[in-house]
Amino acid sequence: MREPTSRTIGAFAVWTSSDLPGFGDQLIARLTERELLRRLPGWRATWYAPLGWTRPIPEDGGYVAAPLRDHSSERIEQIAASADASVLAPAFPLGAARADWPYPDGTAHSYFTEGLDPDAERTHPLISSCVRIADEPPVELVTALARQPYLTVRDRRSCDRLAAAGLSGDIPVVPHPALLLDGLVDADALRTRAQHLRQLGVLPENGGVVVVQSAELPVDAVREFLAADHVVEMPSGLVLEDQLALLNAASAVIATDEHVAAASAALGKPWALFDPTGEQRWPALEFGSPKQIVDRADRITDAISAGLRFSAPSEHAKRAVSTHFDRVAAAIEQAFTARGGDLTRRIAELAEENNALRHAQWRLRDRMLVERQKLSDTLAEAWHEVADAKADAERARNELAVAQTQFRELRNEIDRLALDSRELDALRNTKLLRWSQPVREVYGKIKGS
Amino acid sequence: MTPRLTFVLVSYGGRELVVTCLKKLAEHTPAPYDVVVVDSASPDGTGEWLAENLSGELLAGSTRCLSATVLRMPENLGFGAGCNLGVQHARTELVCFLNADVEVRDGWLEPLLSFLDSRADVGAVAPVMLNTDGSVQESGSLIGGDGWCRAWEDASFPREVDYASAACLIVRRKAFLQTGGFSPEYEIAYFEDVDLQLALRARGWQTWVIPESTVDHARHGSSSSERANELMRLNHGVFQRRWADELAKRPAVTSLDEWPHRALWLRDRNAPYRVLLIDDRVPQADRGRGDPRTAAVVDSWIEGHPNARVTFFAVSAERVEEYAPRWHAKGVEIVHGVTDLEAWSRSRAGLYDVIVAFRPHNYANYGVPIARSQPQAIRVYDSEALFHRRPEQHFEHSVDSAERRHHAIEAARLREEEQSAFRWADVAVCVSEEEAEWARRVAPETPAHVACYPIVTPDDVPGVEGRQGIVFFGGFDNTPRTPNEFAVLELAEDVLPGLRLRHPGLTLRVVGADPSPNVLALHGGLNEVVGRVPDPRPWLSSARLHVVPMRFGAGVKIKFVDSMSAGLPFVTTPVGAEGLHLGAYARHLVGESPAEMVELCDRMLRDDELWSDVQQEMLRICREHFSEDGFRRSMAKVLLDCGICPVPR
């Protein structure tokens, strides 16, 4: 029997970049939603993204995000009304200039720079979760982030940039959410996707595989250094499941971005990060060793060598991410309460539901006992019948044995009589008897007269 | 508009089929969509032809283009691999796997999308597949323990299925990817779609068949039967190996002919509970005779869980064609016209978790015999009313000794039958606390619940201004000597004349289904026999007073609850007022003799202040005792006593 689905309690929104094709764009959105729903069961999660479902892409895997649309007061009101709080979890850094904005015509740039607006955020707070901050963040962003009840970044450089821009206070640095990747796609599904990729020739049929995120890396050197059978470049256009299947099938991963590095770490794969821009290293330092990160392609084997020594993220880093999501969930609950939501009542409802379940379970158990008793009675009756039948059979067997004995004796008697009969016939056929017959008849008559 | 759906077709030869299929799709699918055709290395050049020709040809008589993304596989890897490749190129929220030998019909898509939009836990939906002669080919299929499948041909109501053919199956893309997609372990075709749907279920996604949507399917349109059988055999082995644990829990399909009840076990095995409700007829919610309450009770069993299997056994086929469809739409199975009860019961042996029998005759004639084949089921007796009280009332009012004897015997028989019903039941339901008390006395071991009748009481109802005349509301069954006929005749003959002396011109409207000849004879002058109306509320909201001199009847009379919820005060007898929680207000509303009723009616017609006070009290009573929430809570207790914890709303 399937577990009943609970009613919706509260609602939160996740502002994602899931309408972009990047691995990190998909990964962070899905992990953020999963981790928060684990902590807020029965809540409704809505995704927003700058373009959302107006520009579906194969890489989004069918996860639908609503478009943020224009930064108008009407739209801000709609978004604020749709949930109790919004969690900002884009893969791109906040505060990038419009020229570097990954969407056409600066779509939704204002949302990720200015937030909603102070009025709307009084009842619908924004929570930035493990975000990155661009170099020289604009004052609008700093003002918007200052309003947030809980703000975390995923690298120290972002922290420093905000401090330099004038945002005071302690900003927690939380490692990449991908460290909690385990179970996002189950093992069976990963296996099936890997088989599918083999069918399509993306993965080789046999042999060890090293996955590289960029063909600019010295592939031959990597192959030789790792004695790998194949070096596979991560193709574009794949859904997250396929990309994870690819990483999962790898014996080592050479990443060019923080997200692939984090996912590889979570999967326990030896990884190295090639970071010529100097930007990807900062988040990676929160879960990896500096020796795994290089900025020159010709030093990649050194990084791989380090990666073979330090592969899995520490439990401490994983706990930090987990604790972070606990805090985000708590902040969302707080927003729910501030909007008039009653968590105490929810607890009372849960207690009531629990009592109802116990009652139903007790009634079922009661019923089960009745059924069990009926079944046992039927079984006991059957056992009696079987015992009686066995006794009958035993009696019949004994009678049969007696009858068989008698039959054998009778048979012996018949055999004996037959023998006698045969002997008598043989005697009668002797010449003495045949020839003496007339004499014996005469004798008989004389004796009888 | 951005498309929500990508059709994925896998071709292996048969380009004409593909084109016909896509043309039908364009003809009958108004919503925007994408198409991906994957050619599985067709040896006859189909792939090449499709790549060249499916690129925007305008369809004759349409604004649509015959365009598709055509992908060509270098070798024939089969249906699953082709679909996986197609999905890899899809960008939409939903994908629809479509065989080239399927022709969609008008209006086929909307019901499927609506259902998906209404149920976030449903991962896949399918239409009913029809043969070319219009007969049902498949309304979902059963998966047996031997790994074979059997098509289900009853397409009367939507239901969760073990599996529906991927010849036409809409799947959420994210759900598809969560499973990993079609398993590459299978050869070319067959069983990979069965596998997929078990994988979906293993991850909490359901598959439903929606009979409102139909498509035509010419089976084996692109593969010879001999080849199909060979592939089936091969893939059957793979399927058995991959799902051995799941299959071990199921009876074999090959055993279904010998043991037909196992087919229903398989059909309903995914339902969280299976309940059989037995009553006179399919509930006709817009009629009287307790039907609206029965309908509300059935609704409670439906609302307990959206996947529950609710089967309604209608003893009579009365108006079944008219009323069954609305129950089918709610996912209720309607059974009627059963002639061999024992055979029918055995065909469902051990199926039900709960059997609910309404009214004593259904308990005796159907509940008991059916329960013999359902020894595991919890038995519920829903009394609807205490039927033995009606002959008791006739006994009291009758002056003829033969009639009195007849009523006494009938009352004793019914009393005995009802006692037996309450003792037979594991759980009892009554409509009033008074009747539940009686049930508890005769069957102290059986928990008796009170669930009367739910009604929505509006915030605003018309006040006294503008209301005119009196109304009588109740059904007549086109039968003489019913309690309502007795009541309306007494009203016309014994109450109205006296009342009209004081209120000349006072009009009477008789509202209710199937008036009998005696009732129809009342029509004329100030009396209007309206007959059946789709909704009594406008009539109750415009009348000044509802008058029902009711002498016979048991339980709560729903007509008065309707009246109270419309803010219409009524005058009736103690029999009529039973269970209505009138309290001190009974002195304004309940009279015994016609003379008393004339007095009470006269006051209610003259005294606006009293009328308004009574109206407010009626609305309060309704909200407190006859609310939907109250009814739902009461029915939740019934379900809990049956071991079912209803899903919170």
Side-chain angles (χ1 to χ4, degrees), chain B residues 14-29:
Chain B
R15 68 187 186 199
E16 295 82 7
L17 273 176
V18 175
V19 171
T20 308
C21 174
L22 292 180
K23 281 183 175 170
K24 285 281 177 189
L25 199 58
E27 191 182 334
H28 298 300
T29 314

PDB file of all heavy atoms in Angstrom, chain B residues 14-29:
ATOM      1  N   GLY B  14       8.032   1.175 -42.923  1.00  0.00           N
ATOM      2  CA  GLY B  14       6.665   1.665 -42.796  1.00  0.00           C
ATOM      3  C   GLY B  14       6.557   3.178 -42.759  1.00  0.00           C
ATOM      4  O   GLY B  14       5.900   3.733 -41.888  1.00  0.00           O
ATOM      5  N   ARG B  15       7.172   3.848 -43.715  1.00  0.00           N
ATOM      6  CA  ARG B  15       7.132   5.316 -43.688  1.00  0.00           C
ATOM      7  C   ARG B  15       5.718   5.847 -43.884  1.00  0.00           C
ATOM      8  O   ARG B  15       5.356   6.893 -43.377  1.00  0.00           O
ATOM      9  CB  ARG B  15       8.071   5.885 -44.739  1.00  0.00           C
ATOM     10  CG  ARG B  15       7.634   5.640 -46.178  1.00  0.00           C
ATOM     11  CD  ARG B  15       8.709   6.100 -47.114  1.00  0.00           C
ATOM     12  NE  ARG B  15       8.271   6.002 -48.499  1.00  0.00           N
ATOM     13  CZ  ARG B  15       9.094   5.984 -49.526  1.00  0.00           C
ATOM     14  NH1 ARG B  15      10.389   6.015 -49.335  1.00  0.00           N
ATOM     15  NH2 ARG B  15       8.634   5.924 -50.752  1.00  0.00           N
ATOM     16  N   GLU B  16       4.878   5.076 -44.652  1.00  0.00           N
ATOM     17  CA  GLU B  16       3.499   5.532 -44.862  1.00  0.00           C
ATOM     18  C   GLU B  16       2.761   5.587 -43.527  1.00  0.00           C
ATOM     19  O   GLU B  16       1.980   6.501 -43.264  1.00  0.00           O
ATOM     20  CB  GLU B  16       2.728   4.588 -45.816  1.00  0.00           C
ATOM     21  CG  GLU B  16       3.274   4.555 -47.233  1.00  0.00           C
ATOM     22  CD  GLU B  16       4.466   3.612 -47.373  1.00  0.00           C
ATOM     23  OE1 GLU B  16       4.776   2.885 -46.394  1.00  0.00           O
ATOM     24  OE2 GLU B  16       5.115   3.622 -48.434  1.00  0.00           O
ATOM     25  N   LEU B  17       3.019   4.553 -42.682  1.00  0.00           N
ATOM     26  CA  LEU B  17       2.372   4.544 -41.359  1.00  0.00           C
ATOM     27  C   LEU B  17       2.779   5.776 -40.558  1.00  0.00           C
ATOM     28  O   LEU B  17       1.956   6.406 -39.895  1.00  0.00           O
ATOM     29  CB  LEU B  17       2.789   3.288 -40.576  1.00  0.00           C
ATOM     30  CG  LEU B  17       1.978   2.015 -40.786  1.00  0.00           C
ATOM     31  CD1 LEU B  17       2.605   0.871 -39.997  1.00  0.00           C
ATOM     32  CD2 LEU B  17       0.536   2.205 -40.357  1.00  0.00           C
ATOM     33  N   VAL B  18       4.061   6.100 -40.606  1.00  0.00           N
ATOM     34  CA  VAL B  18       4.560   7.256 -39.848  1.00  0.00           C
ATOM     35  C   VAL B  18       3.865   8.526 -40.320  1.00  0.00           C
ATOM     36  O   VAL B  18       3.386   9.334 -39.515  1.00  0.00           O
ATOM     37  CB  VAL B  18       6.095   7.393 -39.996  1.00  0.00           C
ATOM     38  CG1 VAL B  18       6.584   8.661 -39.312  1.00  0.00           C
ATOM     39  CG2 VAL B  18       6.797   6.185 -39.406  1.00  0.00           C
ATOM     40  N   VAL B  19       3.775   8.662 -41.628  1.00  0.00           N
ATOM     41  CA  VAL B  19       3.168   9.884 -42.170  1.00  0.00           C
ATOM     42  C   VAL B  19       1.687   9.952 -41.803  1.00  0.00           C
ATOM     43  O   VAL B  19       1.184  10.989 -41.364  1.00  0.00           O
ATOM     44  CB  VAL B  19       3.376   9.946 -43.706  1.00  0.00           C
ATOM     45  CG1 VAL B  19       2.576  11.089 -44.309  1.00  0.00           C
ATOM     46  CG2 VAL B  19       4.858  10.111 -44.012  1.00  0.00           C
ATOM     47  N   THR B  20       0.986   8.818 -41.953  1.00  0.00           N
ATOM     48  CA  THR B  20      -0.436   8.799 -41.593  1.00  0.00           C
ATOM     49  C   THR B  20      -0.606   9.142 -40.118  1.00  0.00           C
ATOM     50  O   THR B  20      -1.483   9.935 -39.745  1.00  0.00           O
ATOM     51  CB  THR B  20      -1.035   7.389 -41.865  1.00  0.00           C
ATOM     52  OG1 THR B  20      -0.722   7.040 -43.205  1.00  0.00           O
ATOM     53  CG2 THR B  20      -2.529   7.378 -41.656  1.00  0.00           C
ATOM     54  N   CYS B  21       0.240   8.543 -39.300  1.00  0.00           N
ATOM     55  CA  CYS B  21       0.167   8.775 -37.854  1.00  0.00           C
ATOM     56  C   CYS B  21       0.372  10.264 -37.557  1.00  0.00           C
ATOM     57  O   CYS B  21      -0.387  10.865 -36.789  1.00  0.00           O
ATOM     58  CB  CYS B  21       1.234   7.924 -37.175  1.00  0.00           C
ATOM     59  SG  CYS B  21       1.398   8.221 -35.435  1.00  0.00           S
ATOM     60  N   LEU B  22       1.362  10.877 -38.195  1.00  0.00           N
ATOM     61  CA  LEU B  22       1.653  12.292 -37.928  1.00  0.00           C
ATOM     62  C   LEU B  22       0.551  13.196 -38.470  1.00  0.00           C
ATOM     63  O   LEU B  22       0.240  14.230 -37.876  1.00  0.00           O
ATOM     64  CB  LEU B  22       3.013  12.680 -38.536  1.00  0.00           C
ATOM     65  CG  LEU B  22       4.229  12.024 -37.878  1.00  0.00           C
ATOM     66  CD1 LEU B  22       5.508  12.474 -38.553  1.00  0.00           C
ATOM     67  CD2 LEU B  22       4.287  12.350 -36.395  1.00  0.00           C
ATOM     68  N   LYS B  23      -0.049  12.786 -39.569  1.00  0.00           N
ATOM     69  CA  LYS B  23      -1.151  13.585 -40.120  1.00  0.00           C
ATOM     70  C   LYS B  23      -2.349  13.552 -39.169  1.00  0.00           C
ATOM     71  O   LYS B  23      -2.979  14.573 -38.914  1.00  0.00           O
ATOM     72  CB  LYS B  23      -1.543  13.062 -41.501  1.00  0.00           C
ATOM     73  CG  LYS B  23      -0.586  13.531 -42.598  1.00  0.00           C
ATOM     74  CD  LYS B  23      -1.038  13.060 -43.964  1.00  0.00           C
ATOM     75  CE  LYS B  23      -0.125  13.648 -45.047  1.00  0.00           C
ATOM     76  NZ  LYS B  23      -0.365  13.047 -46.360  1.00  0.00           N
ATOM     77  N   LYS B  24      -2.655  12.364 -38.674  1.00  0.00           N
ATOM     78  CA  LYS B  24      -3.768  12.244 -37.718  1.00  0.00           C
ATOM     79  C   LYS B  24      -3.469  13.071 -36.465  1.00  0.00           C
ATOM     80  O   LYS B  24      -4.353  13.690 -35.880  1.00  0.00           O
ATOM     81  CB  LYS B  24      -3.969  10.773 -37.320  1.00  0.00           C
ATOM     82  CG  LYS B  24      -4.617   9.944 -38.385  1.00  0.00           C
ATOM     83  CD  LYS B  24      -6.122  10.179 -38.423  1.00  0.00           C
ATOM     84  CE  LYS B  24      -6.764   9.380 -39.554  1.00  0.00           C
ATOM     85  NZ  LYS B  24      -8.178   9.748 -39.744  1.00  0.00           N
ATOM     86  N   LEU B  25      -2.217  13.027 -36.075  1.00  0.00           N
ATOM     87  CA  LEU B  25      -1.796  13.774 -34.889  1.00  0.00           C
ATOM     88  C   LEU B  25      -2.045  15.268 -35.096  1.00  0.00           C
ATOM     89  O   LEU B  25      -2.613  15.955 -34.244  1.00  0.00           O
ATOM     90  CB  LEU B  25      -0.305  13.519 -34.670  1.00  0.00           C
ATOM     91  CG  LEU B  25       0.272  13.798 -33.294  1.00  0.00           C
ATOM     92  CD1 LEU B  25      -0.439  12.993 -32.236  1.00  0.00           C
ATOM     93  CD2 LEU B  25       1.764  13.466 -33.295  1.00  0.00           C
ATOM     94  N   ALA B  26      -1.636  15.754 -36.263  1.00  0.00           N
ATOM     95  CA  ALA B  26      -1.818  17.178 -36.564  1.00  0.00           C
ATOM     96  C   ALA B  26      -3.296  17.530 -36.638  1.00  0.00           C
ATOM     97  O   ALA B  26      -3.723  18.583 -36.179  1.00  0.00           O
ATOM     98  CB  ALA B  26      -1.122  17.506 -37.883  1.00  0.00           C
ATOM     99  N   GLU B  27      -4.067  16.589 -37.160  1.00  0.00           N
ATOM    100  CA  GLU B  27      -5.495  16.835 -37.345  1.00  0.00           C
ATOM    101  C   GLU B  27      -6.235  16.936 -36.013  1.00  0.00           C
ATOM    102  O   GLU B  27      -7.149  17.736 -35.851  1.00  0.00           O
ATOM    103  CB  GLU B  27      -6.050  15.668 -38.179  1.00  0.00           C
ATOM    104  CG  GLU B  27      -7.445  15.859 -38.704  1.00  0.00           C
ATOM    105  CD  GLU B  27      -7.912  14.617 -39.476  1.00  0.00           C
ATOM    106  OE1 GLU B  27      -7.042  13.873 -40.016  1.00  0.00           O
ATOM    107  OE2 GLU B  27      -9.106  14.382 -39.511  1.00  0.00           O
ATOM    108  N   HIS B  28      -5.817  16.107 -35.034  1.00  0.00           N
ATOM    109  CA  HIS B  28      -6.594  15.992 -33.793  1.00  0.00           C
ATOM    110  C   HIS B  28      -5.890  16.553 -32.568  1.00  0.00           C
ATOM    111  O   HIS B  28      -6.320  16.304 -31.442  1.00  0.00           O
ATOM    112  CB  HIS B  28      -6.949  14.521 -33.542  1.00  0.00           C
ATOM    113  CG  HIS B  28      -7.800  13.920 -34.605  1.00  0.00           C
ATOM    114  ND1 HIS B  28      -9.055  14.409 -34.917  1.00  0.00           N
ATOM    115  CD2 HIS B  28      -7.584  12.891 -35.461  1.00  0.00           C
ATOM    116  CE1 HIS B  28      -9.569  13.692 -35.904  1.00  0.00           C
ATOM    117  NE2 HIS B  28      -8.689  12.769 -36.256  1.00  0.00           N
ATOM    118  N   THR B  29      -4.781  17.258 -32.773  1.00  0.00           N
ATOM    119  CA  THR B  29      -4.036  17.776 -31.617  1.00  0.00           C
ATOM    120  C   THR B  29      -3.840  19.275 -31.772  1.00  0.00           C
ATOM    121  O   THR B  29      -2.864  19.715 -32.391  1.00  0.00           O
ATOM    122  CB  THR B  29      -2.672  17.046 -31.502  1.00  0.00           C
ATOM    123  OG1 THR B  29      -2.884  15.650 -31.654  1.00  0.00           O
ATOM    124  CG2 THR B  29      -2.010  17.325 -30.163  1.00  0.00           C
TER     125      THR B  29
END
